[in-house]
Amino acid sequence: MSLRALLIERIRQDGPLSLADYMAECLLHPVHGYYTTRDPLGAAGDFTTAPEISQMFGELIGLALAQAWMDEGRPTPFTLAELGPGRGTLMADLLRATRAVAGFHDAARIALVEASPALRRIQAETLSGHTPSWLDRVEDLPDRPLLLVANEFFDALPIRQFIRDGDLWRERLVGLENGKLAFGLGAATPQAALEHRLPDTRDGDLVELCAPAQTVTTELARRMAAHGGAGLIIDYGDWRSLGDTFQALHRHEMADPLASPGEADLTAHVDFEALALTAKNAGCAHTKLTPQGIFLERLGITARAQALVRGRTDKEAKSIIHAHRRLTHPEEMGNLFKVLGLFPAPAPPPPGLEP
Ligand code: SAH
């Protein structure tokens, strides 16, 4: 039975699904889920990410985290964690770039939070020579200093959508219309979690809520507040989300999110304000939200690109310059993608970011 047929059956029996339930089934269903069954990255897949564009990305993240580790007095041992490591490329580049940082590798216990068995296998190959452990959930991270990176992880966490109706909210649901999956609206109800959005929204506005993002951030922030560390959260989105950002990507093209359950990548923009407030409530400081291009420039991506170009053929040099542009230029990924740093004050913020 296809995932579409399974979902239709479930809706017939139990009624419409929240967007979060639909998204979770499409991405992580044990048999048909998008991430569970495949490697979605790269030219042959559905989308490309910053670490897959250039080694410079993971290298600079690595040096930033190593600096944060030194700034906090070189805690040993510490957890070096990545959420949703994809092919393991970022972690491999990070580890190569930090080889010369005295004591860093010896102190690091590598932890990869990854839901997809298919991607875990690829990560194990990419990181052969290291001994990472794989965790199902952020809750399983040990209680000790935590240095962490999450690139394009939070955008994959299931969201719910609500449309304002007076001072009440109607949830956007996935139901059936003529036997096909279709969007609908639930009854108008009060939503305590959206109380703070009443002042800045109007009748008919759509807002998104990502409960799992808040759970994850609380877990991270609690560990950093108690034991030290630093976190870099990189994703597309803005300080505060307004409007429908739920989207499907199939073979590098935008698609209808209901058209092929389990076959397309489903994402939503990250509401960084929600993450920042959650971190603060758990006792951890956060940095200003910073565009990826500015962050990478501050970390020295231009000097790194120049060093890599030296001694290369024209063709290789062009591709390095092209990658630099894609990662930093405001019309490419430089502005759409943002970086939020988490750190336990009074430690300084991670390099490249301001408190
Ligand atoms: N960070 C990588 C991959 C981004 S794709 C890169 O930049 O290239 C999203 C990653 O998050 C994949 O590895 C996917 O399997 C993982 N993922 C998605 N939802 C998850 C969840 N709920 N728990 C753990 N991993 C998840």
Side-chain angles (χ1 to χ4, degrees):
M1 214 191 225
S2 71
L3 183 56
R4 185 201 317 279
L6 287 170
L7 290 170
I8 289 175
E9 191 59 37
R10 182 169 158 192
I11 295 168
R12 281 215 174 98
Q13 282 185 7
D14 305 335
L17 302 173
S18 73
L19 218 53
D21 287 341
Y22 176 76
M23 217 173 149
E25 291 286 13
C26 289
L27 293 180
L28 295 176
H29 184 281
V31 180
H32 303 285
Y34 178 75
Y35 282 117
T36 336
T37 52
R38 76 195 72 208
D39 170 11
L41 291 148
D46 294 299
F47 59 97
T48 304
T49 58
E52 301 298 331
I53 290 172
S54 167
Q55 68 185 78
M56 296 186 285
F57 189 78
E59 290 172 348
L60 293 170
I61 302 271
L63 294 173
L65 290 182
Q67 183 64 52
W69 176 72
M70 291 189 278
D71 287 343
E72 289 187 38
R74 300 179 157 82
T76 304
F78 72 94
T79 305
L80 176 59
E82 183 172 359
L83 310 186
R87 285 182 179 162
T89 309
L90 192 166
M91 184 53 79
D93 292 335
L94 176 164
L95 288 167
R96 193 183 56 255
T98 52
R99 249 183 336 216
V101 179
F104 188 71
H105 281 204
D106 284 345
R109 307 287 177 271
I110 303 168
L112 307 175
V113 178
E114 175 56 69
S116 158
L119 288 172
R120 281 185 183 203
R121 282 193 289 275
I122 299 176
Q123 290 155 19
E125 272 170 42
T126 312
L127 296 169
S128 64
H130 298 278
T131 47
S133 35
W134 279 270
L135 310 177
D136 291 328
R137 307 169 328 144
V138 168
E139 286 86 334
D140 302 332
L141 285 167
D143 277 323
R144 60 169 170 244
L146 172 64
L147 286 146
L148 166 130
V149 59
N151 186 60
E152 291 210 45
F153 169 78
F154 282 85
D155 65 57
L157 299 179
I159 55 149
R160 293 168 71 185
Q161 290 185 330
F162 296 88
I163 294 175
R164 184 159 171 188
D165 183 347
D167 280 353
L168 303 177
W169 301 89
R170 303 181 68 180
E171 181 159 14
R172 204 161 173 232
L173 300 170
V174 178
L176 297 177
E177 215 176 275
N178 305 324
K180 287 187 175 158
L181 295 174
F183 286 115
L185 284 181
T189 53
Q191 289 294 333
L194 292 175
E195 221 35 42
H196 70 295
R197 297 307 302 266
L198 289 174
D200 78 314
T201 53
R202 289 184 301 191
D203 223 24
D205 279 350
L206 185 153
V207 300
E208 298 176 335
L209 263 190
C210 187
Q214 302 197 3
T215 311
V216 168
T217 308
T218 303
E219 293 290 327
L220 303 178
R222 245 200 239 135
R223 280 171 184 74
M224 286 176 207
H227 309 289
L232 297 171
I233 297 173
I234 308 155
D235 227 305
Y236 44 96
D238 246 308
W239 184 244
R240 179 174 277 199
S241 90
L242 183 62
D244 176 15
T245 73
F246 182 50
Q247 64 173 46
L249 212 57
H250 192 43
R251 309 230 158 86
H252 300 264
E253 301 274 346
M254 292 285 214
D256 169 2
L258 301 187
S260 34
E263 298 292 320
D265 184 34
L266 300 180
T267 62
H269 282 200
V270 174
D271 181 354
F272 281 101
E273 182 189 39
L275 303 190
L277 292 178
T278 306
K280 217 189 225 168
N281 285 337
C284 190
H286 63 83
T287 67
K288 284 199 183 118
L289 189 63
T290 305
Q292 171 173 300
I294 291 175
F295 172 69
L296 293 174
E297 289 297 354
R298 286 183 185 153
L299 294 181
I301 193 169
T302 299
R304 181 64 186 133
Q306 284 161 350
L308 283 174
V309 160
R310 250 171 254 140
R312 301 291 182 96
T313 64
D314 273 3
K315 192 166 164 237
E316 289 166 342
K318 264 200 195 121
S319 108
I320 294 163
I321 293 161
H322 181 67
H324 172 276
R325 186 188 148 89
R326 273 186 82 184
L327 293 176
T328 60
H329 197 282
E331 281 163 21
E332 306 247 4
M333 297 171 79
N335 206 29
L336 175 63
F337 281 78
K338 309 282 193 312
V339 188
L340 182 74
L342 305 182
F343 65 104
L353 299 171
E354 296 161 341

